[in-house]
Amino acid sequence: MSAREMMGAEVEAFAGALKKASRAADNTVTNYRRDLLAFRSFLLDRAAVLGKRVDEIDVASITADHVRSYLAELMKNKAARATVQRRLSAIKAFFRYRETTIGAASPARTIRSPKNERRLPSILQEDEVRRLLEFSSTPDDSTPASLRDRAIFETLYSSGLRVGELVGLDWRDIDEELGMVMIRAGKGNKDRLVPLGEPALDALKKWKTAMPIAWEHDGPVITNLRGGRLTTRSVEKILQRRIEAAGLAAGLTPHGLRHSFATHMLGNGADLRSIQEMLGHASLATTQRYTHVSVNHLKEVYRRAFPRV
């Protein structure tokens, strides 16, 4: 078996083991596989540049210098730190798997990940969210596409869902009477219940009635107009078109709506623990990082709560 096949086969074996053993989300497995194959391509290209036959590269020949060179190449090409960090995580996980299964020492064990940039997603102010949700790009707001898009934006903002969680929803996950949505096996494979506001529930009901392909109890909530489940990329494009048409600042992503939800909840008096529960964060530190806390808000909380002011 050639090295090209060897590394590809080992990556596939690792991806299969990851999915089976840790019940990792499909996105995690897909991303790890893609990142490892990108590392493999770098090694093959590097061998060709050095005048070696590309089929002489095998996994056992990979050293810490190879990994460092790859990370340096990514940074030279202006890759985001988060991207470099994620790719190193995939490489480390791959070599840990080899260490466990065949006892091969990991060349990436001592390589430290670059510190992540603490940049926060763009958010909208409350009046800007209102403009986004109420904006109409067509004279007729009752078309299936318009009703679906309204349901997308209202639900994302109302619940703070990740876009992957939104597109993964089935109608059985929404309890209209309780005004709650069940997120099944979200990030970290944890189910959670999240409240939905009346505007979101109303938008979902209208979309449900207008769906071109009749809804089913176990069927997807957010679909294209042919009845297929919408992709995360499609939601991003729909949001981008709405942002531009409404004349709002560019750069907002679906995750920015989640961030806006958390920021506005905090600003209106919600406690961090409740926001943590709704967002599905394992750590409160993550929730703190995803919320803007203004100095004035902190001062006001302090003034009201501390007895000696």
Side-chain angles (χ1 to χ4, degrees):
M1 185 183 289
S2 73
R4 181 182 292 268
E5 293 168 331
M6 280 168 57
M7 187 160 184
E10 289 208 40
V11 167
E12 291 304 323
F14 164 68
L18 180 67
K19 186 166 181 65
K20 184 177 179 182
S22 63
R23 293 179 63 240
D26 288 343
N27 277 352
T28 302
V29 177
T30 300
N31 290 341
Y32 270 32
R33 181 190 288 116
R34 184 187 62 227
D35 290 344
L36 288 166
L37 292 178
F39 177 46
R40 169 174 162 268
S41 294
F42 166 80
L43 294 174
L44 294 171
D45 291 344
R46 188 173 186 269
V49 168
L50 295 173
K52 296 180 182 177
R53 292 174 53 207
V54 293
D55 60 1
E56 290 177 359
I57 299 172
D58 61 38
V59 181
S61 72
I62 298 172
T63 66
D65 283 342
H66 291 130
V67 179
R68 289 192 187 94
S69 295
Y70 177 54
L71 301 180
E73 182 73 11
L74 289 173
M75 289 188 278
K76 188 176 82 173
N77 291 329
K78 309 295 185 188
R81 288 187 190 182
T83 300
V84 178
Q85 192 175 54
R86 192 194 69 232
R87 295 204 178 179
L88 178 57
S89 294
I91 291 167
K92 283 183 173 241
F94 173 63
F95 282 109
R96 276 198 305 272
Y97 163 75
R98 294 186 83 245
E99 218 168 14
T100 303
T101 53
I102 63 174
S106 169
R109 179 186 287 278
T110 60
I111 298 176
R112 300 188 65 175
S113 181
K115 288 185 179 178
N116 202 6
E117 294 172 298
R118 291 272 170 152
R119 289 187 305 173
L120 295 168
S122 299
I123 68 162
L124 296 177
Q125 301 303 315
E126 291 183 44
D127 62 323
E128 292 177 317
V129 171
R130 197 171 299 111
R131 277 173 58 193
L132 175 73
L133 297 178
E134 296 176 359
F135 179 80
S136 174
S137 55
T138 61
D140 186 3
D141 285 339
S142 61
T143 64
S146 295
L147 293 172
R148 179 204 60 199
D149 294 354
R150 180 70 177 266
I152 287 172
F153 303 137
E154 289 280 9
T155 304
L156 282 174
Y157 177 62
S158 174
S159 59
L161 296 189
R162 300 175 178 95
V163 67
E165 294 169 343
L166 172 77
V167 299
L169 286 180
D170 294 327
W171 284 109
R172 67 190 171 97
D173 300 325
I174 298 172
D175 189 319
E176 294 178 8
E177 287 188 17
L178 287 178
M180 303 286 282
V181 58
M182 171 67 79
I183 312 304
R184 300 182 188 277
K187 195 170 182 180
N189 289 298
K190 294 178 182 176
D191 294 350
R192 72 183 192 278
L193 270 173
V194 179
L196 274 176
E198 284 298 328
L201 287 167
D202 184 57
L204 286 165
K205 287 176 188 174
K206 288 178 178 175
W207 160 237
K208 191 178 190 180
T209 304
M211 290 177 76
I213 307 298
W215 71 278
E216 295 179 0
H217 181 68
D218 291 327
V221 174
I222 305 300
T223 69
N224 58 35
L225 300 184
R226 300 180 300 280
R229 195 181 295 274
L230 215 57
T231 64
T232 56
R233 183 68 186 129
S234 296
V235 172
E236 288 167 1
K237 288 180 178 177
I238 290 167
L239 177 60
Q240 190 54 47
R241 286 198 296 268
R242 176 69 70 99
I243 285 281
E244 291 172 2
L248 296 167
L252 185 77
T253 64
H255 198 75
L257 276 181
R258 172 176 163 87
H259 189 45
S260 299
F261 159 82
T263 304
H264 299 164
M265 287 283 289
L266 184 69
N268 285 291
D271 63 277
L272 276 174
R273 287 286 181 192
S274 297
I275 297 172
Q276 175 191 2
E277 191 72 24
M278 286 183 276
L279 292 177
H281 286 156
S283 166
L284 187 61
T286 307
T287 310
Q288 289 170 322
R289 183 166 63 88
Y290 276 79
T291 52
H292 288 290
V293 184
S294 71
V295 172
N296 288 338
H297 176 71
L298 282 175
K299 283 183 175 178
E300 177 60 20
V301 169
Y302 183 85
R303 189 189 63 76
R304 284 190 279 110
F306 191 63
R308 188 174 173 81
V309 179

